[in-house]
Amino acid sequence: MRGFFTLLALLILLLATTPAGAKDMIAGPIPGKVLAVLDGDTITVRLHIWIGQHIETHVRLAGIDTPEIKGKCAAERMRAAQARRELEALLANSDVTLSNIRLEKYAGRVLADATNAEGVNLAAYLKDRGLARAYGGKRRLGWCE
C-alpha cells in the first residue's frame, strides 16, 4: 500500500511540475486524408485517431505564412493561388501525417507540422520555393509592395 502512495505522490509531482501548455500538444504522428486545400497554409484533414475513430479538422501548417486568397492586391492574390496549387500538387494522393499538433489561436483549427506520403515537409517545401515565409504567430507582414 505504501508503494501505491509513493507512486501517487510521484504522479502528482510530475503533473504539478509539467510546464503550462505541455499537455495541450499531441506529438503524433497521426495519419490522415486531405479532404481540401483551403489556401497555401491551411488544409482540411480527416485524422485517424483510434480504431474506427476519425475526426475532421482544419490544419494550419506550423511555422509559415502564405499570401491570402482574398489578398489586398493582385500580386498577393496571384501568389496565393500559386501557393495553393503547389500545396494541392504535394497532396495529390491525399495522404498526410501530422505531428506536434496543438491548438491554434483561431477556433476551429489546429496548428501542426505536416508531411505528405513521400515524407516531404509541407511548410519547408513552400518556404524553399518562396511561396511562404517563416511565421511565429505574431503580426504578419503584408504581401503587397
Side-chain angles (χ1 to χ4, degrees):
M1 190 60 130
R2 196 161 101 168
F4 170 77
F5 287 112
T6 303
L7 183 59
L8 182 60
L10 180 60
L11 180 60
I12 290 169
L13 178 63
L14 284 172
L15 290 173
T17 58
T18 300
K23 58 187 170 237
D24 293 335
M25 183 177 75
I26 299 170
I30 305 289
K33 292 282 183 198
V34 176
L35 303 177
V37 175
L38 303 179
D39 61 23
D41 56 23
T42 308
I43 57 180
T44 303
V45 179
R46 179 203 262 150
L47 299 168
H48 178 76
I49 57 172
W50 187 249
I51 300 167
Q53 300 294 311
H54 296 87
I55 186 170
E56 291 181 14
T57 188
H58 296 304
V59 178
R60 169 130 186 183
L61 303 178
I64 64 166
D65 177 46
T66 60
E68 298 299 321
I69 298 289
K70 296 180 179 180
K72 295 180 180 177
C73 64
E76 179 177 9
R77 292 187 296 273
M78 188 173 72
R79 290 179 74 180
Q82 184 182 1
R84 183 179 183 182
R85 282 191 305 272
E86 286 283 332
L87 189 55
E88 286 172 334
L90 276 172
L91 297 168
N93 76 0
S94 79
D95 288 334
V96 69
T97 300
L98 302 183
S99 58
N100 301 316
I101 306 162
R102 53 216 178 267
L103 292 177
E104 218 264 339
K105 65 183 176 182
Y106 297 108
R109 69 181 185 186
V110 296
L111 187 65
D113 298 324
T115 57
N116 68 3
E118 290 77 33
V120 175
N121 180 296
L122 305 179
Y125 181 94
L126 293 168
K127 266 194 326 193
D128 290 348
R129 279 149 188 78
L131 299 170
R133 59 180 164 217
Y135 178 64
K138 302 285 184 196
R139 185 174 180 268
R140 294 182 306 138
L141 301 174
W143 290 91
C144 300
E145 297 296 324

